[in-house]
Amino acid sequence: MKLKTISIFAALFIVAPNFFATKGMWLPNLIKALNYSDMQSKGLMISAEEIYSVNNSSMKDAVAHFNGGCTSEVVSNKGLLFTNHHCGYSQIANHSTVEKNYLRDGFWAKNFGEELANESLYVDFIVRIEDVTSKMLGGSKAEGESEDDFVKRKTAEITKELINGTDYMVKIKPFNYGNKYFAFVIERFTDIRLVGAPPSAIGKFGFDTDNWVWPRHTGDFSVFRIYSNKDNKPADYSSENIPYTPKHYFPISLKGVKEGDFSMVYGFPGRTQQFLTSYAVDQKMNKTNPARIDMREKSLEVINSTMKQSEELRIRYASYQSGVSNAWKKWKGENFGLEKENALAKKIEKERIYTERINENEELKKQFGLLLPSLKTLYKENESYQKAFDYYIEMIYSGPKSLRYINNFVSVIENAEKYRLAGSLYAEMEKLKKNYQDFIDYPAQLEFEKRMWKSLYSTAMNHVGKEFHPDNLLAQSNYLTNMDKIIDDMFEKSMFLSDKKLLNYLNNPTEKNLKKIKKDKGYTMVKSFYDALRGKVIPTYYSNEDKITELMKEYSKSIQIVFPTEKYWYDANSTLRVSFGQIEGSAPRDGMRYTHKTTAEGIMAKYIPNNDEFDVPEKLISLINNKDYGRYSEGDSILVICFTGSNHTTGGNSGSPVINANGELIGINFDRSWESTMSDVMFSEKLCRNITVDIRYVLFVIDKYAGASHLIEEMKLVETPKFTIKKDKIVGGIELPIQNSGVLKSLEKQMSK
Ligand code: ASP
């Protein structure tokens, strides 16, 4: 496409603002060029360099990707880190036992020595971000070099250049389906210790019922600390390590928020899909989401009833349950929002206008005219593969744990001869023995496993086309109606699931013994399942997906040409982003208006003694009844718990700092309202709100509830000014007129010193 054509073409259209692109999650290195004036007009008072700078310390140096999934933020010069309770959940669960039940009772280290190390937990800081598009897309392939090898070679070359002798890591990611590439230079810390966590009755208050729901009263936070070596550099766990001194840490505002205040969220959002076609939205709403919801409902029936049986089982499955139910409820909300906002009809209308415009211009028609029809055909062709993929993936993610456990054996045993030749077979067997021991030493779970298999496997088989079914089932007549018997038989006969014979074979992995393992009922069941997925579903599914991505690369590019006056952002892909908006409530349904904040009164209104989800710890009840909120109260007697804002967020933004116009921490992002979860596909100004736990509630829990005031002492708190300024006059306790905000800012700065 020649530039000249584009500009003439652009001039021909009067495009409604935000026809395709809505809201956004912006790369921080582009904020200065793309968003800064908009952010300022909405109230931001700090400079773009204070948000992102390569040469000086800036906010980005206090925002860390937490274990590759969530976000966390540094809040003291001793590497103290906040994230969500649900982000630190598996670490808290791992340290919990029936005797020391940190999940139930909370945990607070009294000093550095009591802070708990966590195996394989890490946090990543972004050192800098670079546009490497021309390097990635430029150049040409060497003779005989495949596309994949070409990309790998490029990636390795750029990575080497960017690392340049440092200890940093580099991640290069495609944006907009490969139209752009950015490289992220990363500093990874691997000694991250648990410092504190409230009891689940605070950190997860409301549990599944309240998850993804507003009004919310959850103290969803946990506290960790980054440790480094003596040179302040990343190092694996060592008792010699010391608390990390960060380049920047967030000052914490005790001033609270009010409706209309500027707010921004800085974090690592996982995935959005703003350019999805109507065919994809239809697929998602009407096929994929219902299939996955169905499988998770079946899974949750088994998990929830098992967890009720004993405290031991509750701890054992807590983390699994959280993961399964979190996505289940999200998909339900997503469908609700997409239906309510007529997302499908809107996409169809957009595509109609897009097509009309393309057809008006010969050159565009030639270049892009076949994109939508080809996408439509591909989605149709992929339908049965997609269905099989959805059910099989759910079988893996929310199904019996023994599926994955036995599969670990399959991949080693099928390659046993290779390991034997390499001399590592015994070492592999040792790993499997550990796997086996972890599993079999816990017989209480066998009943759980059996129920999972029965319920989920027959659901999957009843929906997935027969052509994708595993061979071991196809070999049996009437297997669909005999599923329970087949599973019972497997549990009775498989040495993976019932006795200790397997240990002898693993200790002595002769060819004969390995053959016996291969005949095991559990082994053949699991192997057949994975063979069906890998052999019958994935090759075509992935090849269709690749074709869709190729077409989407062109389609997303074409949208920006056809609707040229809009401001575009790159879909979230677990890279560092800033989104901004304001503190505001919402009106999600006819006749319903949500306020922007909740208070401690709401905790007491939801309180149900001894209830799994809504019990409240005694000490918290007493603090609330006495309105003993200390410096964390709003006015004399209100404790704000959570608030909502119109910041575009998604999964991965959990734990993100929510920041006010002065760059101070006002809360920790942890969720969206149910009606908002559609924002991964389409952001609705009316519906979409992120949910934040007010930082004053976090500090109140640490200080007044847990008595961990030594942690508060590490932080830099910014108190409410005792007076404000009006028309150049200092007036006690009067609200600030906007036009004097600059003056107030400097005054507040002085006061907070
Ligand atoms: N609750 C989400 C998470 O777990 C955050 C969100 O999707 O808004 O990451």
Side-chain angles (χ1 to χ4, degrees), residues 311-330:
E311 197 49 36
E312 198 182 349
L313 284 164
R314 182 185 302 282
I315 295 172
R316 188 162 183 100
Y317 291 114
S319 203
Y320 194 39
Q321 196 274 354
S322 280
V324 173
S325 70
N326 192 46
W328 159 73
K329 200 163 174 190
K330 186 209 145 169

Side-chain angles (χ1 to χ4, degrees), residues 86 212 326 650-652 654 670-672:
H86 79 263
W212 302 110
N326 192 46
T650 185
S654 278
F670 70 98
D671 212 358
R672 284 169 285 168

Side-chain angles (χ1 to χ4, degrees), residues 608-621:
I608 309 174
N610 301 320
N611 181 274
D612 282 350
E613 299 191 306
F614 292 103
D615 203 2
V616 180
E618 245 171 63
K619 183 159 181 199
L620 184 58
I621 297 178

